[in-house]
Amino acid sequence: MAATTLIDRALVRLSGEDVRGFLQGLVTNDLGTLAPDRPLWAGLLSPQGKALFDFILWADGEDVLIDCEREAAETLARRLILYRLRRPIAIGREESLAVHWSTIGDGPGDPRLAELGRRWLAPGDDGADGDWLRHRLLLGVTEGQAELGHDKSLWLECNAAELNGVSFAKGCYVGQENTARMNWRNKVNRRLVVVPTDSPGPRARIHYPELGLAVEHRRVDDLDGAIIPDWLKPALA
């Protein structure tokens, strides 16, 4: 059986009083739609609407599990603790479970894009990160601080609207004002895109030489050579 664990991912558990209400006022997606078979992709933004962290939210009874990149898990937990104030909510790493991925299987579909495959939580096995990275990038989907940047890219520049990472119907959250204004004006001038290249230029956020791919932050009128997946084409038309 093929390995399925994404070893570069970690889980942060939030438990206690009204966890969903707490997160609802912080993150970009609507916790009212979160269900055991319906995870959500969301971001925690700066007040200016720039991406600080992106993650997938999972319902676990009254608790919420945050599926995030392993290197950012502790920093994310500390940021949430700052926002918690006196709320009776516990925030900490969940070490008994791991994030799994496969192109086939019975788990929920990735909330961003069906073609990304199935994703589920279970005890860990051997890593499948290399296969996942190639599969994700060839679909034009970016994630994590190395690709999105930390306080560098506006959330809609991360293709959040096209990949189901933002609700424009929910109430306020951190960074909501600029995000809503950009959407209302239909004015997303730059995008994160995946570019096949062996010689990354100055716009590259990160280069994966073993894959011949880079993630670049480009103006929408300068996307020559970039992978333009079907899910992104309507937004660029």
Side-chain angles (χ1 to χ4, degrees):
M1 183 176 179
T4 59
T5 298
L6 298 180
I7 58 176
D8 68 342
R9 305 293 289 184
L11 292 165
V12 175
R13 180 180 291 277
L14 280 72
S15 58
E17 183 179 310
D18 193 21
V19 166
R20 296 187 189 206
F22 168 63
L23 290 172
Q24 182 77 337
L26 294 178
V27 306
T28 59
N29 223 324
D30 185 359
L31 272 289
T33 64
L34 182 66
D37 60 348
R38 188 182 180 186
L40 298 175
W41 184 50
L44 182 62
L45 311 183
S46 71
Q48 294 74 35
K50 293 184 178 182
L52 300 178
F53 305 92
D54 75 298
F55 38 74
I56 293 176
L57 302 172
W58 296 83
D60 186 23
E62 296 300 313
D63 292 1
V64 174
L65 289 164
I66 301 180
D67 161 2
C68 61
E69 56 181 330
R70 181 171 294 277
E71 290 186 358
E74 296 298 336
T75 308
L76 172 59
R78 288 196 296 270
R79 177 61 66 102
L80 293 173
I81 288 168
L82 287 175
Y83 283 122
R84 179 185 61 185
L85 300 176
R86 296 181 179 274
R87 289 175 182 255
I89 294 174
I91 301 171
R93 290 281 293 273
E94 173 56 73
E95 302 287 1
S96 67
L97 297 172
V99 180
H100 294 257
W101 161 81
S102 178
T103 54
I104 57 174
D106 298 326
D110 192 293
R112 292 166 289 187
L113 187 69
E115 290 83 350
L116 283 171
R118 300 288 174 175
R119 200 175 183 101
W120 68 97
L121 307 181
D125 59 21
D126 294 329
D129 295 69
D131 293 339
W132 162 248
L133 178 63
R134 179 179 180 83
H135 179 71
R136 174 174 63 79
L137 290 173
L138 289 177
L139 288 169
V141 177
T142 58
E143 69 178 20
Q145 292 182 346
E147 295 175 10
L148 308 188
H150 184 76
D151 203 14
K152 290 183 178 180
S153 302
L154 293 164
W155 187 232
L156 297 190
E157 294 177 346
C158 303
N159 306 310
E162 294 73 26
L163 293 172
N164 307 308
V166 60
S167 169
F168 296 110
K170 66 173 283 186
C172 294
Y173 56 88
V174 179
Q176 184 261 351
E177 185 175 355
N178 277 353
T179 304
R181 184 185 300 116
M182 284 181 68
N183 180 66
W184 181 70
R185 293 179 176 176
N186 194 25
K187 196 170 184 179
V188 183
N189 295 324
R190 292 176 173 81
R191 296 277 181 170
L192 285 173
V193 291
V194 179
V195 181
T197 181
D198 292 318
S199 302
R203 295 170 296 185
R205 286 283 170 79
I206 186 171
H207 180 227
Y208 299 98
E210 71 279 12
L211 300 178
L213 298 170
V215 174
E216 297 189 359
H217 189 222
R218 290 196 186 183
R219 291 190 58 85
V220 296
D221 57 2
D222 183 23
L223 297 179
D224 288 350
I227 295 173
I228 309 297
D230 289 342
W231 58 261
L232 184 57
K233 288 177 182 177
L236 300 176

